[in-house]
């Protein structure tokens, strides 16, 4: 039998492998999963933390040396976790507050894993030597990520975010940017501490590479945060390092250089050089006058309103969508339709956790800096650099939200400071007998297997089944897609809402496709309707799913059901134009044209500058037969909209106003004579009004423009000449 000392060594080695392995999670991109840049990283992190936590519990029992020590950083983290747990319990959707979704992979469960990660890391990495190895390993990982970014710029790998802003394996340039900021400061921290010339050279070469890739992310918040953080660090070094004149002079040079850089940019920001540089022009566009064009201009006030409604414990994590929909600003019509984050981490926590959660989140920064400056084993320059890191990270977070990798880096730095400053914790000074260790180890192993299966394996299988459900099948076998949807739903995991959303989108698309067999349409429609109603029974105030249901039922021809859910959407989000558009669509389907016009008017009056709302309002006027209003609205529409927006054309055709429909199609053909679809549409209307010769003439024109259409076109012509409508 192995001795306890031997068991300890094995446990420590396995925990080290897990902790150091976590640093390479940023490389993971699992394209077999939904949200490949997020889910693979998230599940891997959770699985590793669960395994090392189980190993740590046994190590914890075997040797007091590896038990948690106390600092108020750890105390604040535990209080933060408790506060968020209360917020989740009273959330609008407690399940989502706990589990999150595939797109974010956050929720209370991730905060719980991060706290465990902090506890294990700060207990096992007990010396500065181990921490230096840990941070050096992280720098090696950052080197690989930076090289990947350079290869993207060289065209060797695709840039995932719009093909312009480097995003490496993150799928989001902003996520990459803050990852690089952390590592730039860590490299500076180690550069100043190290005595070896080879290591200094390595850090000295790495930092410019990281800076270059950061610049190519074009992320303003991270870059400005870095500049401000370095400026703060340099100022602190000047004031705190009284004896190290070389370092003070270097810092003074940095301060002067940064001031020159900022003032120089302000001087040339309107120059052609700046305007032709994609990164610099983003900084040149920063101004107060430009804020109404930013989503944050509308979203941040919504967050404040949401906080004032639930100021104590907030709405729970992953619940900003309720605040966003309730307080939606109709001037946001040209922004994203749905927001689940405020794009400000402090406001996110204010909404999610209320005053308690927000204060505890902010206290992590304050306590981190407070304890940092108490540590006797770090020099003033060490402390100055890490203080600058906190400042840079905090500034960056004022304009974005956190992600797994930024959390990992933040919690790692906090754990480093805690491990240097913490004191023994009497709470964990108890002795454990051999039998107790064996029993606890067995129970821990069983719990680990249960958690791994229920919290990770099942959701992963769900995710992969969802990918199969939305992927094209051989021979366009939509029946197989349906079976995969059923399989994904049968797992009954936290991915079910995402599956229902994708199912409703797929069902709506198929129902509108005339080439899909009717029995497949019916099966998809029935399953989609059933699952949407099941979801809304659990989350009755979810505007997003109310609208999914309304769109789906309207597409299925169930206009009363569509009206029911669209009405609910207008109640849960009274200023969201799309809810009124769908309610009006329900009334159109029921041929209650006066009611549809009234609803479309409401949507239009919420924000008259919204062109789509004006078009739909005009369409409603056509259906309702309000000629005066119709002309008033159409005259104010741009000509390209009037002639090329199908909603206007379809309204005229549906109401039998063929002269107006023919006028629009004639104008389209005049402006775009190569588009054969417009000629075929006009031929169809000519048939409707009995003018067969003109219909044939249009089809003949189509054949001339597209010889491949000849056989089908001649068939149509023969049918028309025979007195039949093809």
């Amino acid at each position: 039998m192995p001795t306890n000392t031997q068991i300890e060594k094995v446990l420590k080695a396995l925990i080290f492998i897990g902790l150091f392995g976590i640093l390479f999670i940023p490389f993971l991109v699992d394209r077999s999963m939904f949200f490949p840049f997020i889910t693979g990283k998230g599940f891997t992190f959770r699985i590793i933390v669960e395994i090392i936590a189980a190993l740590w519990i046994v190590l914890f029992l075997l040797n007091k040396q590896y038990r948690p020590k106390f600092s108020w950083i750890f105390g604040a983290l535990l209080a933060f976790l408790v506060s968020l747990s209360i917020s989740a319990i009273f959330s609008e959707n407690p399940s989502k507050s706990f589990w999150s979704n595939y797109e974010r992979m956050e929720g209370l469960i991730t905060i719980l894993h991060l706290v465990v990660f902090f506890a294990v890391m700060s207990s096992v990495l007990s010396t500065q030597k181990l921490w230096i190895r840990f941070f050096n390993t992280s720098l090696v990982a950052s080197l690989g990520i930076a090289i990947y970014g350079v290869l993207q710029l060289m065209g060797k790998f695709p840039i995932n975010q719009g093909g312009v802003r480097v995003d490496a394996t993150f799928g989001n340039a902003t996520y990459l940017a803050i990852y690089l900021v952390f590592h730039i400061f860590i490299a500076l921290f180690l550069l100043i501490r190290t005595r070896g010339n080879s290591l200094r050279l390595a850090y000295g070469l790495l930092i410019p590479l990281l800076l270059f890739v950061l610049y190519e992310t074009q992320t303003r918040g991270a870059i400005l945060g870095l500049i401000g953080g370095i400026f703060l660090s340099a100022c602190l070094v000047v004031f705190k390092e009284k004896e190290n004149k070389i370092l003070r002079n270097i810092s003074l040079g940095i301060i002067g250089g940064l001031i020159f850089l900022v003032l120089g940019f302000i001087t040339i920001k309107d120059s052609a050089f700046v305007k032709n540089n994609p990164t610099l022009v983003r900084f040149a566009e920063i101004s107060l006058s430009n804020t109404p064009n930013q989503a944050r201009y509308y979203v941040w006030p919504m967050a404040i309103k949401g906080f004032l409604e639930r100021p104590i414990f907030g709405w729970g994590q992953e619940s900003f969508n309720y605040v966003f929909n309730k307080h939606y600003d109709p001037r946001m019509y040209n922004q994203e339709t749905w927001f689940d984050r405020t794009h400000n981490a402090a406001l996110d926590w204010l909404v999610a956790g209320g005053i308690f959660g927000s204060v505890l989140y902010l206290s992590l920064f304050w306590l981190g800096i407070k304890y940092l400056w108490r540590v006797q084993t770090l020099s003033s320059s060490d402390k100055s650099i890490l203080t600058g890191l906190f400042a840079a990270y905090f500034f960056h977070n004022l304009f974005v939200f956190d992600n797994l990798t930024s959390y990992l880096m933040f919690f790692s730095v906090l754990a480093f400071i805690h491990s240097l400053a913490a004191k023994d914790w009497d709470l964990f000074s108890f002795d454990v007998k051999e039998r107790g260790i064996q029993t606890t180890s067995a129970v821990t192993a069983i719990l680990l297997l249960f958690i791994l299966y229920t919290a990770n394996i099942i959701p992963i299988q769900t995710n992969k089944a969802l990918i199969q459900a939305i992927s094209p099948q051989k021979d366009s076998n939509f029946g197989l897609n349906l079976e995969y949807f059923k399989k994904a739903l049968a797992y009954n995991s936290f991915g079910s809402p995402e599956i229902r959303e994708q199912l409703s989108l797929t069902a709506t698309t198929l129902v509108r496709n005339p080439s899909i067999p009717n029995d497949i349409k019916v099966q998809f429609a029935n399953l989609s309707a059933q699952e949407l109603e099941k979801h809304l029974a659990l989350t009755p105030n979810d505007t997003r799913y109310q609208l999914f249901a309304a769109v789906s039922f309207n597409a299925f021809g169930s206009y009363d059901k569509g009206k029911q859910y669209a009405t609910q959407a207008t109640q849960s989000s009274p200023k969201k134009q799309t809810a009124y558009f769908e309610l009006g669509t329900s009334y159109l389907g029921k041929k209650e044209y006066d009611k549809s016009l009234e609803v479309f008017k409401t949507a239009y009056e919420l924000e008259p500058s919204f062109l789509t709302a004006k078009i739909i309002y005009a369409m409603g006027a056509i259906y309702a037969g309000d000629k005066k209003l119709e002309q008033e609205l159409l005259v104010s529409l741009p000509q390209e909209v009037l002639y090329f927006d199908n909603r206007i054309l379809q309204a005229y055709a549906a109401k039998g106003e063929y002269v107006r429909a023919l006028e629009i199609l004639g104008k389209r053909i005049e402006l775009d004579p190569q588009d054969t679809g417009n000629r075929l549409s006009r031929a169809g209307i000519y048939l409707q009004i009995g003018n067969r010769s003109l219909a044939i003439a249009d089809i003949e024109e189509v054949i001339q423009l597209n010889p491949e259409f000849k056989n089908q076109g001649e068939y149509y012509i023969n049918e028309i000449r025979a007195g039949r409508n093809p």
Side-chain angles (χ1 to χ4, degrees), residues 332-369:
M332 288 190 69
Y333 62 83
N334 60 349
Q335 303 287 341
E336 293 180 36
T337 306
W338 308 103
F339 273 77
D340 65 347
R341 295 290 190 274
T342 68
H343 289 259
N344 178 307
L347 287 176
D348 274 330
W349 287 117
L350 200 62
V351 172
I355 193 68
F356 279 100
S358 179
V359 168
L360 288 167
Y361 166 73
L362 295 174
S363 74
L364 297 177
F365 289 87
W366 177 70
L367 290 168
I369 294 172

Side-chain angles (χ1 to χ4, degrees), residues 89-130:
I89 291 170
F90 295 102
S91 165
E92 287 278 342
N93 188 345
S95 175
K96 188 179 181 185
S97 289
F98 182 83
W99 290 108
S100 187
N101 57 19
Y102 290 133
E103 183 179 7
R104 299 301 181 196
M105 289 293 289
E106 192 175 322
L108 183 63
I109 187 171
T110 292
I111 301 301
L112 173 60
H113 281 73
L114 286 165
V115 172
V116 173
F117 173 63
F118 174 95
V120 175
M121 187 167 36
S122 59
S123 300
V124 176
L125 300 180
S126 54
T127 66
Q128 285 200 45
K129 185 177 180 181
L130 285 172

Side-chain angles (χ1 to χ4, degrees), residues 527-595:
L527 182 62
S528 176
Q530 172 187 324
E531 291 298 325
L532 284 170
E533 294 200 304
K534 184 186 296 184
H535 181 80
L536 285 167
L538 298 171
T539 58
N541 298 320
D542 193 331
T543 308
R544 183 180 175 90
Y545 282 87
Q546 288 166 345
L547 274 177
F548 279 134
V551 170
S552 297
F553 281 114
N554 283 338
F556 304 156
S558 301
Y559 296 112
D560 284 325
K561 279 284 189 181
K563 172 191 165 188
Q564 173 190 335
Y565 288 112
T567 300
Q568 290 177 10
T570 62
Q571 293 168 350
S572 61
S573 187
K575 293 185 178 181
K576 199 172 189 69
Q577 294 100 324
T578 50
Y580 293 97
F581 295 160
E582 208 54 46
L583 179 57
T585 301
S586 300
Y587 282 124
L588 286 179
K590 291 165 62 67
K591 300 190 184 306
E592 297 179 17
Y593 299 131
D594 288 340
K595 289 184 179 179

Side-chain angles (χ1 to χ4, degrees), residues 25-37:
I25 282 177
F27 287 94
L28 294 177
V29 179
D30 190 344
R31 298 191 184 276
S32 68
M33 297 182 71
F34 202 57
F35 292 108
F37 296 99

